[in-house]
Amino acid sequence: MLLACMRSCVAAGVAALALLLLLGWPVGPAVTTSVAQDAGATIWTVPEIGALPDDANSRLVRRGRDLITATYAHIGPEVADRAKRFAGNNLACGNCHLQAGTKKFGIPLFGLFGKFPHYNARLGAEMTIEDRLNACMTRSMNGRPLPAGAPEMQALVAYIKFLSTGVAPGQLLPGMGTGNMPELDRAADPARGEALYANACVACHGPDGRGIRRSLPTTDLGYMMPPLWGNDSFNDGAGMARLITAANFLHFNMPHGVDYLNPLLSPEQAWDIAAYVLSQPRPRKAGLDKDFPDLLEKPVDAPYGPYADGFSEQQHKYGPFAPIRAAIARLKAEKAGAPSPPPR
């Protein structure tokens, strides 16, 4: 999981802003035009968990919130009860789903409950909300699935259902996902990203990407700042291991304290930093070749084969993506028996 927005690091965010100003990097309204979605078009607020009564369902919802914000403390690889060691790293779900899943373009969890079950291209089958949570458990958390009847699974589902209170079936809420900034017409460059990382990210995540563990590891097992690569990070099958997801997440959420209204990293900087982070070693997930049974449905930035379009794993990992999209469109048209779109 990637680059958590932690309240305790406000000072670091101020320092990062000062550094970016010194470097002459664009800040504020100069780069807000990269927001493709109009996040303010519909006013919708997250329900207040503190207003819930003290009843069984409300306690389950609060338990789900705790599992999001401190996953490592309840089902992590170092918890005392070995049977509860479902996560394979010491990350928290909240390291990617910012502000306990309530931040716009911080991969929010609100409004998701009514979207399940639905067809999932990676599975090639219908996916339930429990399936989706377990995809995070086995990929982002590099662990093993939670049983559907486990109290932890029930609590996570209850929390997501609570965050979707009042959302009508099919309603599109503003701020979902990671945003959508302009893509590069070149490959994202890990070498450029390394220099940018050293200026903007190293204070919180370290030169080796290992993050910052909390000062009392015997009582609080997680990270103040999460690792971005290495053995305790997300594996290569996670959604955050895809460049488009990672780069948009960076642009709209980092450095700490940033949001989609006032991004600090330019799109180009975000693409290159994401490329550098994803070029680093991380755990490998077995069986990724079984993902996306229909290869024409595979995302253009899936960093692992096989592919149907003839492009290399390198280009799928770093771009540019427009030629890949054009090739996939032609292949889909041929499969459907329709005239192929003209090459760009």
Side-chain angles (χ1 to χ4, degrees), residues 198-216:
N199 287 327
C201 313
V202 74
C204 287
H205 299 285
D208 54 6
R210 293 184 181 179
I212 302 173
R213 288 296 294 259
R214 295 189 183 276
S215 58
L216 297 174

Side-chain angles (χ1 to χ4, degrees), residues 186-197:
R186 62 167 174 85
D189 189 341
R192 293 185 186 187
E194 182 176 12
L196 294 166
Y197 177 92

